[in-house]
């Protein structure tokens, strides 16, 4: 977490006094909250546990708050093995008309116009392909009228996790800009 904070120029806040006294252990286990401004947005990066698990696995969460009046929800996640079952039961599946993205990700939305606006930028396509590479862990991007969130499960904060979080932070800031621009209409 310390390297993520250094790379993104964020402030480290330990989750408990113990991890404040031993920041190396807290950074390795993700027991610190990172916050600050990045690309003009207030960003928070923290770690939460999966419900019902004692210690591992955990989720690392990057979040930017939006506060847009219009109600919407957009979700992008790695394409599971039985994607057709998810399309039936989750509903509102969206296809990007990009074979690379459609091969890696499932998109769900209740406002196709906003998702088309987001996917209309080539930089967004590149960032999505960087984060969701074949054979890598699955993360989830959720955008709603309140916030844009990226989360993924992890065990330890490794170099690969740090790289995906840095890419995800850039992605959620870009998505937040697009949603503020198109969501205000």
């Amino acid at each position: 977490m310390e390297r993520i904070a250094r790379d993104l120029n964020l402030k480290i806040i330990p989750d408990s006094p113990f991890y404040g006294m031993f920041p190396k252990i807290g950074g390795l286990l993700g027991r610190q909250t990172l916050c600050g401004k990045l690309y003009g947005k207030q960003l928070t990066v923290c770690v939460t546990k999966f419900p019902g698990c004692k210690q591992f696995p955990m989720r690392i969460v990057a979040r930017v708050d939006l506060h847009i009046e219009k109600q919407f929800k957009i979700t992008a996640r790695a394409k599971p093995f039985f994607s057709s079952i998810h399309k039936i039961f989750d509903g509102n599946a969206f296809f990007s008309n990009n074979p690379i993205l459609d091969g890696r990700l499932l998109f769900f939305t209740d406002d196709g116009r906003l998702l088309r606006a987001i996917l209309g930028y080539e930089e967004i396509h590149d960032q999505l392909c960087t984060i969701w590479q074949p054979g890598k862990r699955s993360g989830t991007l959720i955008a709603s009228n309140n916030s844009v969130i990226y989360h993924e499960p992890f065990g330890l904060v490794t170099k690969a996790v740090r790289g995906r979080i840095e890419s995800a932070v850039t992605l959620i800031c870009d998505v937040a800009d697009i949603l503020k621009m198109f969501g205000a209409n």
Side-chain angles (χ1 to χ4, degrees), residues 77-87 90 103-106 108 138:
R77 62 179 174 218
K79 193 171 189 175
F81 186 67
F82 296 111
S83 60
S84 58
I85 293 173
H86 288 275
K87 291 173 188 173
D90 288 340
R104 293 182 186 182
L105 296 169
L106 277 179
F108 298 98
S138 59

Side-chain angles (χ1 to χ4, degrees), residues 26-121:
L28 184 63
L29 297 175
R31 296 301 192 183
Q32 298 166 330
T33 300
L34 312 178
C35 48
K37 284 202 174 242
L38 188 69
Y39 303 118
K41 286 151 207 62
Q42 187 63 34
L43 176 73
T44 305
V45 179
C46 63
V47 172
T48 61
K49 292 181 191 176
F50 276 112
C53 291
K54 296 279 184 191
Q55 187 66 0
F56 292 105
M58 297 181 285
R59 287 182 285 182
I60 191 160
V61 179
R63 177 186 182 130
V64 171
D65 291 325
L66 288 178
H67 307 297
I68 296 175
E69 291 181 21
K70 183 179 178 181
Q71 298 288 323
F72 62 90
K73 184 171 182 182
I74 298 170
T75 305
R77 62 179 174 218
K79 193 171 189 175
F81 186 67
F82 296 111
S83 60
S84 58
I85 293 173
H86 288 275
K87 291 173 188 173
I88 293 169
F89 291 110
D90 288 340
N92 298 328
F94 183 86
F95 300 98
S96 66
N97 297 328
N98 181 327
I100 295 172
L101 289 182
D102 286 341
R104 293 182 186 182
L105 296 169
L106 277 179
F107 295 100
F108 298 98
T109 185
D110 55 359
D111 190 346
R113 182 184 65 89
L114 282 176
L115 186 54
R116 267 190 230 82
I118 292 169
L119 295 176
Y121 292 91

Side-chain angles (χ1 to χ4, degrees), residues 8 38-39 41 43 62 64 123-124 127 131 163-177:
L8 298 175
L38 188 69
Y39 303 118
K41 286 151 207 62
L43 176 73
V64 171
E123 299 85 20
I124 300 291
Q127 291 167 355
I131 295 169
R164 280 195 302 275
I165 293 303
E166 289 176 26
S167 298
V169 163
T170 305
L171 174 66
I172 64 174
C173 289
D174 289 346
V175 168
D177 285 339

Side-chain angles (χ1 to χ4, degrees), residues 135-161:
K136 300 296 180 189
R137 289 190 178 177
S138 59
T140 304
L141 176 72
I142 302 170
S144 67
N145 61 320
N146 293 326
S147 60
V148 180
I149 300 170
Y150 172 80
H151 68 84
E152 79 171 47
F154 79 103
L156 297 173
V157 181
T158 62
K159 184 177 180 179
V161 170

